[in-house]
Amino acid sequence: MATTNETAGKERSLNFLEEVIENHIANVDNRIHTRFPPEPNGYLHIGHAKSICLNFGLAEKYHGKCNLRFDDTNPVKEDVEYVDSIKADIQWLGFQWAEEHYASDYFEQLYEWAVELIKKGLAYVDDQTQEEIRLTRGTVTEPGKESPWRNRSVEENLDLFARMRAGEFADGEKVLRAKIDMADPNMLLRDPIMYRIIHTSHHRTGDKWCIYPMYDYAHGQSDSIEKITHSICTLEFDVHRPLYDWFIQQLGIFPSHQYEFARLNLTYTVMSKRKLLQLVESKVVNGWDDPRMPTISALRRKGYTPASIRAFADRVGVAKRDNVIDLSLLEFCVREDLNKTAERRMAVLDPIKVVITNYPEGKTEMFTAVNNPEDAAAGTRQVPFSRELYIERGDFMENPPKKYYRLAPGAEVRLRYAYLIKCEEVIKDSEGNIVELRCTYDPQSGEGSSSDGRRVKGVIHWVSVPHAQEAEVRLYSTLFTKEDPNDIEEGKTFLDYLNPESMVIGRAFIEPALQNAQSGDKFQFERIGYFCVDPDSKPGKMVFNRTVSLKDTWAKIADK
Ligand code: ATP
Ligand code: MG
C-alpha cells in the first residue's frame, strides 16, 4: 500500500479516498474538485465537521478546490439563519470554499433536464399519491407494480409537467417520476420520484417555484454542473449511486462520481438534525449552541478550538464501515491542544477558608506565576497573597490516609507559587462542619524555596479572599446517560435517556487576572480543568464553561 509522510515523521498509509484521488490524478486528470453540500435545515454538528475536514482537506492536499453548496431543495425545513451559521462554522474551522452555490440556483437547469428526459421517454407524470407509489414499489424479493399513468404520451407528460410548474395542481396531486424499471433489484431504481409539488415559499426563490426536485434528482446534476470530480458522502448513500449515475448518463453531462465513507457516530451523542431540532424546540437545551449539544457552535462556546476538532477528524480517519467513536477521543484532542495554548490561572470551586495566623493583617504580597509552562512566550503574571485564602475543600483531610500529600492537621503543603503552610487548628461549626483552617506559614519559603531546604510533596492552588471575585461555573457532562441513545427500548424515546446532571451550575472564586477575561477566552484552572468564558458573562459576574476536566480517561484507554 502506498504511504505518505506525515509531519510527525510517522508513516501513515493513505486512506481509501486518498488512494482513489491519487489514482485519478495518475490516470484521469490532475484536477480535483470536491464539495461540502449541507442542507440548511439545522446547525452543523461534529459529524459535519468530519465531512468538512475531509472535503476541504482533500482539496487542500491535492491542490484542488472545494465548493460550498447548499442543498436547499426542501423549502419546508430550510432557513437563512441556518445558511449563515453554516458559513460561520466552516470559516471558524479554518476553511474557505472556492465557490458558494445553492442547488436552488440550478432549478431552471434541472427543470430543462427533466423536460429532456420526458422527451426521451425517460420520465412521466404520475397521478398516484406518494402513499400509493410507496405501496406499489414492491419489496426486496417482489417487483413493484407499474403505475397506470406510466405510459402517457410524451406530449401529455410535457403538458402536465408544465402545468405542475404553473401551479395548476395542489400539493401531492401529481409527481414526476423517472421511467426506469419497476422490477430492478435496487428499489431506488423503481421509477423514483424526481419532482413533487410543494406550495411553500423558498428562502431564496420565494414563490417562483411550486415544484421541487428530490435529493436524488438534484444532487448528482448539481455536482455535474460544478464539475465536481469526487462527490463524497456517507455510507447510506451507496444504494443511491446507481441512480446518481443513471441521471448523469441519460443526460450525457459531466461525469461526477460518488464515493461513500462511514459517517461519524459518537458515544453518548445523537447527531440527527431532526433530533437536535427536537432538543432545541422542546427546550431541553438552551438553543443550538448550548454547550451540551454536539454542534460546532456549541463546541465553540464550550471552549473547543478549531485545531482540536481538526485533529479529532484526522485521528478518526476515514472508514468504509460504520463504527462508533468514543467521546473521550474528542476530549483528549481538546485537552492536548489547550495544554499547549491555554494560560493557567487559579480558581477555587469548592472553597474552605485558610487563615494564616502568623501573617500580618492587611498585608498583600505579589507572587510571580507562570502563565503557561508549555509556552515561555506566554510570560508571567502577578498573583496577590494575603492572610486569608481559599483552598479547595478536597485538598484537606482531617484523617488522611498514608501518602496523602495535601493539607492535613500538622502537615505541611506548598501553596502554588507561594509559601509552605502548616495546618495548626481545624475550626468547626456546631454541626461539626469544617469552616476554617488555622495555619502558619514559613516566611523563608516563598516562591519555591524553604529555609532549611526541606521538600514538600504536595502543591495546592489557592486564591486570596480579599482579592477573589465570585464567578459562575457551568460544569457539563454528557447529555445522555446511555452510551448509545439511538438504541431505543420499546415504548421509549431518546428523550428518556437524558442525563439530569448534564449541566451543574456552581461557583468559583477566581484570581484577579481572570476578572477581565473576554468572552471566548480559554484557561486552564490549575489542577481542575479547562474553562472558557461564556458570552453570558458581565463585569463582576463572570461565567465560565468547563470545556473538559483534566482527567485523561483516553490516555488510560490508549495505554491498555
Ligand atoms: P441529518 O441526517 O442529521 O439531517 P444530513 O446528512 O442530512 O444529516 P446534510 O446537511 O445533508 O445532513 O449533510 C451535509 C454533508 O455532511 C453530507 O455530505 C453528509 O453526508 C455529511 N454528514 C452528515 N452527518 C455526518 C456524520 N455524522 N458523519 C460524517 N458526515 C456527515
Ligand atoms: Mg441530508
Side-chain angles (χ1 to χ4, degrees), residues 487-498:
D487 172 27
I488 298 159
E489 291 150 271
E490 184 84 25
K492 297 201 168 180
T493 78
F494 76 108
L495 296 174
D496 288 313
Y497 306 115
L498 285 168

Side-chain angles (χ1 to χ4, degrees), residues 9-25:
K10 276 182 292 176
E11 296 255 312
R12 173 170 80 82
S13 47
L14 292 180
N15 67 48
F16 81 93
L17 288 170
E18 291 167 333
E19 281 181 18
V20 163
I21 289 178
E22 295 200 358
N23 196 31
H24 177 88
I25 290 171

Side-chain angles (χ1 to χ4, degrees), residues 300-303 520-522 531-534 543-545 547:
R300 174 169 58 232
R301 184 167 180 179
K302 198 175 178 186
D521 285 356
K522 298 165 183 62
F531 287 78
C532 178
V533 180
D534 191 84
V543 179
F544 292 89
N545 294 315
T547 313

Side-chain angles (χ1 to χ4, degrees), residues 347-486:
V348 172
L349 267 57
D350 182 14
I352 182 165
K353 198 180 196 179
V354 165
V355 177
I356 302 171
T357 51
N358 60 339
Y359 194 86
E361 274 183 56
K363 178 176 171 178
T364 298
E365 243 179 303
M366 301 304 275
F367 282 104
T368 300
V370 174
N371 283 334
N372 186 351
E374 302 289 321
D375 177 14
T380 59
R381 68 184 186 285
Q382 298 295 299
V383 185
F385 184 93
S386 69
R387 182 181 154 93
E388 295 199 347
L389 311 171
Y390 287 129
I391 66 165
E392 217 66 63
R393 194 166 280 272
D395 283 335
F396 174 80
M397 268 184 103
E398 203 171 8
N399 301 299
K402 253 186 150 178
K403 296 197 173 172
Y404 182 80
Y405 299 122
R406 291 173 252 172
L407 200 58
E412 207 171 32
V413 76
R414 161 82 54 199
L415 293 174
R416 189 97 165 108
Y417 309 115
Y419 297 112
L420 294 175
I421 57 167
K422 185 174 180 181
C423 178
E424 311 283 359
E425 194 186 346
V426 179
I427 312 289
K428 296 182 181 175
D429 64 14
S430 55
E431 282 155 23
N433 303 308
I434 300 171
V435 290
E436 189 179 303
L437 304 173
R438 298 266 163 94
C439 298
T440 52
Y441 82 115
D442 173 356
Q444 305 304 312
S445 68
E447 296 197 333
S449 60
S450 65
S451 49
D452 58 4
R454 68 193 184 281
R455 285 176 57 96
V456 168
K457 269 200 173 159
V459 181
I460 63 173
H461 62 277
W462 51 276
V463 290
S464 160
V465 173
H467 301 94
Q469 193 181 75
E470 195 176 325
E472 178 178 319
V473 287
R474 298 178 182 168
L475 307 174
Y476 301 103
S477 344
T478 58
L479 187 53
F480 297 95
T481 49
K482 197 165 189 276
E483 189 168 304
D484 181 3
N486 300 299

Side-chain angles (χ1 to χ4, degrees), residues 132-398:
E132 283 167 337
I133 292 171
R134 198 179 59 75
L135 292 173
T136 52
R137 228 163 49 121
T139 64
V140 199
T141 48
E142 280 169 68
K145 218 173 109 219
E146 294 192 352
S147 165
W149 312 104
R150 195 170 197 264
N151 296 313
R152 276 180 158 145
S153 69
V154 167
E155 290 66 37
E156 191 183 0
N157 279 320
L158 287 174
D159 174 59
L160 287 172
F161 189 48
R163 287 165 56 197
M164 278 169 67
R165 176 182 182 166
E168 285 189 29
F169 307 110
D171 288 10
E173 227 178 291
K174 291 189 168 25
V175 293
L176 184 75
R177 295 176 75 179
K179 193 170 179 177
I180 307 179
D181 181 359
M182 287 307 288
D184 198 289
N186 182 337
M187 307 259 294
L188 290 172
L189 294 180
R190 294 182 187 173
D191 292 7
I193 296 173
M194 293 165 59
Y195 274 92
R196 71 266 202 237
I197 299 170
I198 307 177
H199 288 273
T200 298
S201 279
H202 184 280
H203 68 100
R204 280 176 68 85
T205 57
D207 294 321
K208 181 159 184 231
W209 294 89
C210 62
I211 54 170
Y212 290 93
M214 299 294 287
Y215 171 89
D216 282 319
Y217 181 65
H219 203 89
Q221 283 81 290
S222 300
D223 284 342
S224 182
I225 290 169
E226 294 171 25
K227 299 207 162 38
I228 300 302
T229 55
H230 295 78
S231 177
I232 298 164
C233 62
T234 43
L235 227 46
E236 67 273 20
F237 286 98
D238 67 342
V239 289
H240 295 248
R241 191 176 352 104
L243 187 51
Y244 180 104
D245 293 339
W246 189 86
F247 284 122
I248 285 179
Q249 268 159 22
Q250 301 305 328
L251 293 166
I253 54 180
F254 180 83
S256 295
H257 287 288
Q258 177 185 300
Y259 302 89
E260 307 89 20
F261 74 104
R263 69 190 297 120
L264 172 74
N265 298 301
L266 270 184
T267 55
Y268 300 100
T269 307
V270 299
M271 217 100 83
S272 131
K273 276 187 278 188
R274 187 178 53 79
K275 287 181 181 163
L276 297 180
L277 182 64
Q278 209 178 325
L279 290 170
V280 171
E281 285 184 339
S282 62
K283 300 208 161 37
V284 165
V285 295
N286 305 313
W288 285 96
D289 69 344
D290 184 307
R292 292 168 292 180
M293 292 281 274
T295 56
I296 297 176
S297 50
L299 290 168
R300 174 169 58 232
R301 184 167 180 179
K302 198 175 178 186
Y304 275 72
T305 56
S308 65
I309 294 175
R310 292 199 307 263
F312 172 71
D314 213 46
R315 275 175 188 267
V316 165
V318 185
K320 262 183 156 171
R321 207 165 297 150
D322 276 319
N323 57 4
V324 183
I325 303 294
D326 204 306
L327 187 60
S328 60
L329 178 61
L330 183 60
E331 296 182 340
F332 169 83
C333 290
V334 74
R335 235 182 242 118
E336 200 177 50
D337 188 41
L338 291 176
N339 178 45
K340 286 182 276 177
T341 57
E343 293 198 359
R344 274 56 169 173
R345 296 287 185 270
M346 291 198 286
V348 172
L349 267 57
D350 182 14
I352 182 165
K353 198 180 196 179
V354 165
V355 177
I356 302 171
T357 51
N358 60 339
Y359 194 86
E361 274 183 56
K363 178 176 171 178
T364 298
E365 243 179 303
M366 301 304 275
F367 282 104
T368 300
V370 174
N371 283 334
N372 186 351
E374 302 289 321
D375 177 14
T380 59
R381 68 184 186 285
Q382 298 295 299
V383 185
F385 184 93
S386 69
R387 182 181 154 93
E388 295 199 347
L389 311 171
Y390 287 129
I391 66 165
E392 217 66 63
R393 194 166 280 272
D395 283 335
F396 174 80
M397 268 184 103
E398 203 171 8

Side-chain angles (χ1 to χ4, degrees), residues 6-148:
E6 262 204 315
T7 42
K10 276 182 292 176
E11 296 255 312
R12 173 170 80 82
S13 47
L14 292 180
N15 67 48
F16 81 93
L17 288 170
E18 291 167 333
E19 281 181 18
V20 163
I21 289 178
E22 295 200 358
N23 196 31
H24 177 88
I25 290 171
N27 301 311
V28 185
D29 184 5
N30 67 2
R31 189 185 68 85
I32 296 304
H33 206 148
T34 58
R35 88 289 170 261
F36 173 65
E39 182 177 357
N41 63 349
Y43 281 62
L44 296 181
H45 53 58
I46 183 76
H48 293 116
K50 169 72 212 164
S51 175
I52 291 167
C53 291
L54 193 57
N55 280 296
F56 284 91
L58 286 169
E60 228 165 70
K61 177 168 178 185
Y62 294 103
H63 311 292
K65 290 180 180 174
C66 181
N67 288 357
L68 169 60
R69 182 193 324 131
F70 290 98
D71 184 13
D72 56 349
T73 52
N74 183 355
V76 182
K77 294 188 285 175
E78 296 161 3
D79 200 278
V80 281
E81 176 198 348
Y82 300 132
V83 169
D84 295 341
S85 77
I86 288 169
K87 291 205 266 188
D89 286 348
I90 297 171
Q91 286 173 321
W92 178 76
L93 280 173
F95 297 108
Q96 186 56 52
W97 46 92
E99 302 159 21
E100 177 178 332
H101 293 296
Y102 294 80
S104 56
D105 290 344
Y106 307 140
F107 281 172
E108 192 63 50
Q109 174 70 78
L110 291 169
Y111 179 84
E112 281 168 28
W113 278 336
V115 167
E116 193 179 321
L117 292 175
I118 293 174
K119 286 182 181 163
K120 286 184 171 170
L122 293 171
Y124 62 97
V125 173
D126 195 343
D127 294 3
Q128 296 183 105
T129 62
Q130 292 202 36
E131 181 64 5
E132 283 167 337
I133 292 171
R134 198 179 59 75
L135 292 173
T136 52
R137 228 163 49 121
T139 64
V140 199
T141 48
E142 280 169 68
K145 218 173 109 219
E146 294 192 352
S147 165

